[in-house]
Amino acid sequence: MPPSKVIFLVCDGMADRPMKEKGNKTPLEAARTPNMDSLAADGVCGIMDPIGPGIRPGSDTAHLALLGYDPYKVYTGRGPFEAAGVGLELRPGDIAFRGNWATVDAKGRVTDRRAGRIKDGTKALAKALDGIKIDGVHVILKTATEHRTVLVLHGSGISCQVSDTDPHKENLVAGCKALDNSPAAKKTCNVLNKFTEYSKKVLKDHPVNRARIKDGLPPANIVLARGAGMTPDMPPLAKLWGWRPVAIVGVALIRGICTLAGMDVPVVKGATGGVDTDMLAKARAAIKGLERHDLVFMNIKAPDIGGHDGNFDLKMSSIERIDEAVGYIKDNISSEVGLVITADHSTPVPVKNHAADPVPLLMYGDGVRTDNVKVFNEKAVAHGGLGRLRGKDLMPILQDWVDKAEKFGA
Amino acid sequence: MPPSKVIFLVCDGMADRPMKEKGNKTPLEAARTPNMDSLAADGVCGIMDPIGPGIRPGSDTAHLALLGYDPYKVYTGRGPFEAAGVGLELRPGDIAFRGNWATVDAKGRVTDRRAGRIKDGTKALAKALDGIKIDGVHVILKTATEHRTVLVLHGSGISCQVSDTDPHKENLVAGCKALDNSPAAKKTCNVLNKFTEYSKKVLKDHPVNRARIKDGLPPANIVLARGAGMTPDMPPLAKLWGWRPVAIVGVALIRGICTLAGMDVPVVKGATGGVDTDMLAKARAAIKGLERHDLVFMNIKAPDIGGHDGNFDLKMSSIERIDEAVGYIKDNISSEVGLVITADHSTPVPVKNHAADPVPLLMYGDGVRTDNVKVFNEKAVAHGGLGRLRGKDLMPILQDWVDKAEKFGA
């Protein structure tokens, strides 16, 4: 019988390049991964270009592709996914940004892009700014973790073709420029610049900032915006593919993507989106998720962090901890559950950034055509029975695997 | 010397998924196939997505792709291919349907969708209905095997955006609805509904039916139509690729596709399109076909039937009989003939329907780059030298193999 449910685990940035100083091994190759190796031996493997060969994916665009959306159609910027990830309800057409609480001096020059990495009082600051209307556009501000915010513009005739207000360097003045000649871009720029001035005016003498100045801390006296994107009209996965999906995801960006894909995105205690995340808690949540859902989508961020840090050992140990979580999953699924393990992109330790190298892919469960691959790593799976696929192929393949795909023709 | 002729054998629905209760083998893996194994050992193998990864193909759309046509462009429904398959001459733009002789009661409710699986007298019934003109549209009716018919509308301003008249369940009333707001869809619907009423009127007191009623058999007193499609303008294979092609095919749907592709489609005695087909007769016809043609396209339907029936052993034995036919072909071709063996889709026994799993592909003949594959089955060929292709790639590859492809560039 084909599986009726699927657990789909994305090990963020797990794929890598072999390093001479590590015996020509990748972190995944060097890691002890008995559980993933056993799944590879009993399953079918391959490699996958998340977007396409040579296309260096973002975590956001890669996840969109893995979930069956065309990132070239739905992705205009990171803002909407971050905003949805912190729980803002967005409507298609809303323009959204990521933002920072920052510090400006009397001349309007940004002196600290993170307002001394402010942690406390940001909710009160956001409350003072949230909900204003400028030129008919509703401005929604929500504080996120630490110095981070999200900013959403809701109204008609607005565009994401605008620059960041964030100058990205200290000692420069914040400001937005239109990126095309459309009236919508100009209007959006005006609104954003007016909001920036408004944020300076309101925040200047806010009690939270007065207290910070008294304590010798840089005040959070401006909001900087970046990553403009238009909220896409994404048909929910339930409608597109008939899944009842749930996402076990810590990191806000991916939570936002899953939310906009219409998935349930519960908060899992101990899931931080960091290297300290409780992977077993996520594995337990995944197994629990099978009770009421037929697609359990998981993201574990940790390997990506080791990759960005250029820290081979941190990445390797993150992968070994993932393998333990995979062991828990493997021991707790019945034959009605298929298991897919892959990555959203490579984050090679020597590159310290995402790279386009294909990612390993493993399918385990009833009906897969077992191949000769015995261990799970980038080199071994390249000889696997799935060959070389693209990220966008995966959802249709899973759909077909669980016998839910529509036939094209007769 | 490159081959100058190709035999291209499609084993319908042959690909499958391994089943635990069969030692984790597929029917092809379990079958004794010494001839195909020997060709695999001497040839080059790979896997192929007939339409694309995860896309569950119909036999019709898959065959179109394998013959080098884009099913997304030429396929709107099964009707035209069925109609061409029973020998109707179609013109591009004709709207065609499959149909059934059926039984309605006095209130117009369908009481038997197959008129008691009527076999005799259907030619006379068809003659009574064929050739009428309704609102300027010419209606052509031809009876096919048993209770089956085909129905063709020829005229201007008609559309395939219409529902089936067949209610698909008993005790419902037959009727056509337009699927869009176009005048053409409305017109087509009107014509079809008028024809349905006309069929009831003419058939009611037809001698064949009077005799059936007397014998206690359900009368064939209505024609139900389904599977509307517009006849595509398909350039013949001879023009597209320069082949002199012949099709050794039993099943009507595929005969229709080959006919619309401009192939000679002789009737082979003993070729039934069923599990009882005379496979050796088809093999002999294929060898004979080489005398006057340079592309011999073959379809053997039997494995698909075992798949749909969920009958592992029937499918396995069909494959073993195909292997004998392959043995005959292998023993009777010279080095000027290349041989291709593949399937149009998977019909996994546990799924009892088509699935998108890739199909095995084998090329044997002069100039192929022999790989390490020693046996012909889904798992083994996945490690083959052809990698993972798409159905639409195959025709250009064959074209190039026989040194008929045009160079792109200098």
Side-chain angles (χ1 to χ4, degrees):
Chain A
M1 284 287 291
S4 58
K5 300 178 179 191
V6 171
I7 294 180
F8 178 176
L9 168 60
V10 174
C11 308
D12 206 300
M14 180 171 65
D16 213 298
R17 296 179 181 176
M19 292 177 77
K20 273 187 194 149
E21 52 273 48
K22 300 288 181 179
N24 201 34
K25 289 187 175 177
T26 67
L28 176 57
E29 232 182 329
R32 210 184 146 266
T33 55
N35 293 303
M36 294 197 280
D37 291 347
S38 131
L39 293 173
D42 294 336
V44 64
C45 292
I47 55 175
M48 183 168 68
D49 298 289
I51 313 280
I55 310 298
R56 185 175 280 205
S59 269
D60 39 21
T61 51
H63 274 81
L64 287 166
L66 294 181
L67 291 175
Y69 298 95
D70 181 348
Y72 291 103
K73 284 186 184 156
V74 302
Y75 187 82
T76 50
R78 182 164 173 167
F81 304 104
E82 289 283 353
V86 300
L88 276 185
E89 279 199 29
L90 297 170
R91 280 157 285 192
D94 285 353
I95 307 299
F97 303 81
R98 309 158 69 196
N100 276 7
W101 300 109
T103 308
V104 282
D105 64 15
K107 289 179 178 164
R109 291 174 305 201
V110 174
T111 55
D112 186 335
R113 285 186 58 251
R114 295 179 189 87
R117 293 190 177 270
I118 184 170
K119 283 183 182 168
D120 300 322
T122 53
K123 276 194 180 172
L125 294 174
K127 202 177 169 190
L129 293 174
D130 182 36
I132 186 181
K133 237 183 181 175
I134 300 173
D135 298 345
V137 175
H138 197 184
V139 184
I140 301 136
L141 184 84
K142 186 165 174 172
T143 200
T145 53
E146 301 174 0
H147 56 276
R148 300 178 191 92
T149 71
V150 294
L151 183 70
V152 175
L153 307 183
H154 172 69
S156 61
I158 52 178
S159 158
C160 63
Q161 290 302 312
V162 296
S163 77
D164 301 343
T165 63
D166 186 341
H168 292 279
K169 279 184 188 167
E170 260 96 48
N171 293 318
L172 295 175
V173 174
C176 174
K177 281 179 189 161
L179 298 180
D180 64 26
N181 288 322
S182 67
K186 277 181 202 156
K187 176 177 173 177
T188 310
C189 243
N190 275 335
V191 170
L192 202 56
N193 283 330
K194 283 181 186 173
F195 176 77
T196 307
E197 288 309 306
Y198 174 74
S199 76
K200 282 159 68 178
K201 208 169 77 184
V202 171
L203 296 173
K204 191 168 182 285
D205 295 316
H206 192 282
V208 167
N209 279 329
R210 268 189 271 157
R212 286 182 69 83
I213 290 165
K214 208 170 148 190
D215 292 346
L217 296 169
N221 56 6
I222 190 170
V223 174
L224 301 178
R226 65 186 194 279
M230 180 173 282
T231 309
D233 192 0
M234 283 164 56
L237 282 186
K239 194 175 165 191
L240 274 180
W241 312 97
W243 296 108
R244 284 170 290 127
V246 63
I248 310 297
V249 171
V251 67
L253 177 66
I254 312 304
R255 290 179 67 86
I257 287 171
C258 293
T259 302
L260 285 174
M263 305 172 84
D264 287 342
V265 190
V267 173
V268 175
K269 211 180 152 186
T272 62
V275 286
D276 61 341
T277 200
D278 184 345
M279 297 192 191
L280 272 174
K282 292 181 96 158
R284 280 190 298 268
I287 296 299
K288 194 166 164 47
L290 291 170
E291 288 169 17
R292 292 178 52 197
H293 301 85
D294 57 9
L295 178 67
V296 178
F297 180 81
M298 298 177 74
N299 171 286
I300 298 182
K301 179 73 175 170
D304 185 54
I305 297 166
H308 279 285
D309 289 354
N311 187 334
F312 189 99
D313 294 341
L314 176 64
K315 187 164 179 180
M316 185 178 76
S317 66
S318 295
I319 293 169
E320 292 184 342
R321 286 176 53 226
I322 289 180
D323 192 69
E324 289 169 29
V326 167
Y328 179 88
I329 291 171
K330 181 169 156 271
D331 292 343
N332 285 280
I333 52 175
S334 67
S335 68
E336 71 170 344
V337 181
L339 179 54
V340 176
I341 303 177
T342 187
D344 56 343
H345 51 74
S346 299
T347 312
V349 167
V351 179
K352 294 188 183 181
N353 201 343
H354 302 184
D357 310 57
V359 299
L361 172 63
L362 152 62
M363 288 173 68
Y364 165 86
D366 198 276
V368 300
R369 297 171 179 170
T370 314
D371 58 22
N372 298 333
V373 177
K374 300 295 175 209
V375 291
F376 189 64
N377 64 55
E378 297 88 343
K379 295 174 195 163
V381 300
H383 300 284
L386 291 173
R388 185 168 185 158
L389 295 166
R390 297 201 179 200
K392 67 173 180 151
D393 297 329
L394 197 49
M395 248 327 154
I397 288 172
L398 299 187
Q399 195 69 9
D400 178 66
W401 191 20
V402 299
D403 195 16
K404 279 192 191 183
E406 295 230 352
K407 192 154 55 175
F408 171 42
Chain B
M1 283 287 290
S4 58
K5 301 179 179 191
V6 171
I7 294 180
F8 177 176
L9 168 60
V10 174
C11 308
D12 207 298
M14 179 170 65
D16 214 297
R17 295 177 182 179
M19 291 178 77
K20 271 186 196 151
E21 53 272 47
K22 299 289 182 181
N24 199 34
K25 287 187 175 177
T26 67
L28 176 57
E29 235 183 325
R32 209 184 147 267
T33 54
N35 293 304
M36 293 197 281
D37 291 346
S38 129
L39 293 172
D42 293 337
V44 65
C45 292
I47 55 176
M48 183 168 68
D49 298 288
I51 313 275
I55 309 297
R56 185 174 281 204
S59 269
D60 39 22
T61 52
H63 273 81
L64 287 166
L66 294 180
L67 292 174
Y69 298 95
D70 181 349
Y72 291 103
K73 284 186 184 155
V74 302
Y75 186 83
T76 51
R78 182 165 172 167
F81 305 105
E82 289 284 351
V86 299
L88 276 184
E89 279 200 28
L90 297 170
R91 279 155 286 192
D94 284 353
I95 309 299
F97 303 81
R98 310 158 70 195
N100 276 10
W101 300 108
T103 310
V104 282
D105 65 15
K107 290 180 178 163
R109 291 174 304 201
V110 174
T111 54
D112 187 334
R113 286 186 59 249
R114 295 178 189 89
R117 294 192 176 271
I118 184 170
K119 284 184 180 166
D120 300 324
T122 54
K123 276 196 179 169
L125 294 174
K127 201 176 170 193
L129 292 174
D130 182 35
I132 188 183
K133 238 185 179 172
I134 301 174
D135 299 344
V137 175
H138 197 186
V139 183
I140 301 135
L141 183 85
K142 184 163 179 175
T143 200
T145 54
E146 301 174 0
H147 56 276
R148 299 177 190 92
T149 71
V150 294
L151 182 70
V152 175
L153 307 182
H154 173 70
S156 61
I158 52 177
S159 158
C160 61
Q161 290 303 310
V162 297
S163 77
D164 300 344
T165 63
D166 186 341
H168 292 279
K169 280 182 191 171
E170 259 95 50
N171 292 317
L172 296 174
V173 174
C176 175
K177 282 179 189 161
L179 298 180
D180 65 27
N181 289 320
S182 67
K186 277 181 203 158
K187 176 176 175 179
T188 310
C189 241
N190 275 334
V191 169
L192 201 54
N193 283 330
K194 284 181 185 173
F195 176 78
T196 307
E197 287 310 306
Y198 174 74
S199 76
K200 282 159 68 179
K201 209 169 75 184
V202 170
L203 297 174
K204 193 168 180 286
D205 295 316
H206 192 282
V208 168
N209 279 330
R210 269 190 271 158
R212 286 182 68 82
I213 290 165
K214 208 169 149 191
D215 293 346
L217 296 170
N221 57 7
I222 191 171
V223 174
L224 301 179
R226 66 187 194 278
M230 179 173 280
T231 309
D233 192 2
M234 284 165 52
L237 282 186
K239 193 175 164 193
L240 273 181
W241 310 99
W243 296 110
R244 284 171 289 126
V246 64
I248 309 298
V249 171
V251 67
L253 178 66
I254 312 303
R255 290 179 67 85
I257 287 171
C258 293
T259 303
L260 285 174
M263 305 171 84
D264 287 343
V265 190
V267 172
V268 175
K269 211 181 155 186
T272 62
V275 286
D276 61 342
T277 200
D278 185 345
M279 296 192 192
L280 271 174
K282 291 181 95 158
R284 281 191 297 268
I287 296 298
K288 194 165 163 48
L290 290 171
E291 288 169 16
R292 292 176 52 197
H293 301 87
D294 56 8
L295 177 68
V296 178
F297 180 80
M298 299 177 73
N299 170 286
I300 299 181
K301 179 74 176 169
D304 186 52
I305 297 167
H308 279 285
D309 288 355
N311 188 334
F312 189 98
D313 293 342
L314 176 63
K315 187 163 178 180
M316 187 177 76
S317 66
S318 295
I319 293 168
E320 292 182 343
R321 286 175 54 224
I322 290 180
D323 192 69
E324 289 168 28
V326 167
Y328 179 88
I329 292 171
K330 182 170 154 268
D331 293 343
N332 285 280
I333 51 175
S334 67
S335 67
E336 69 170 348
V337 181
L339 179 54
V340 176
I341 303 177
T342 188
D344 56 343
H345 51 73
S346 299
T347 310
V349 167
V351 179
K352 294 186 183 181
N353 201 344
H354 303 182
D357 309 56
V359 299
L361 172 64
L362 153 62
M363 289 173 68
Y364 165 85
D366 198 276
V368 300
R369 299 172 181 169
T370 314
D371 57 23
N372 297 332
V373 178
K374 300 295 175 210
V375 291
F376 189 63
N377 65 55
E378 298 89 341
K379 295 174 192 165
V381 299
H383 298 287
L386 291 174
R388 184 168 186 158
L389 295 167
R390 297 203 178 200
K392 66 171 181 157
D393 298 329
L394 197 51
M395 256 313 164
I397 288 171
L398 299 188
Q399 195 69 10
D400 178 66
W401 193 19
V402 299
D403 197 17
K404 279 190 191 186
E406 296 232 351
K407 189 153 57 175
F408 171 45

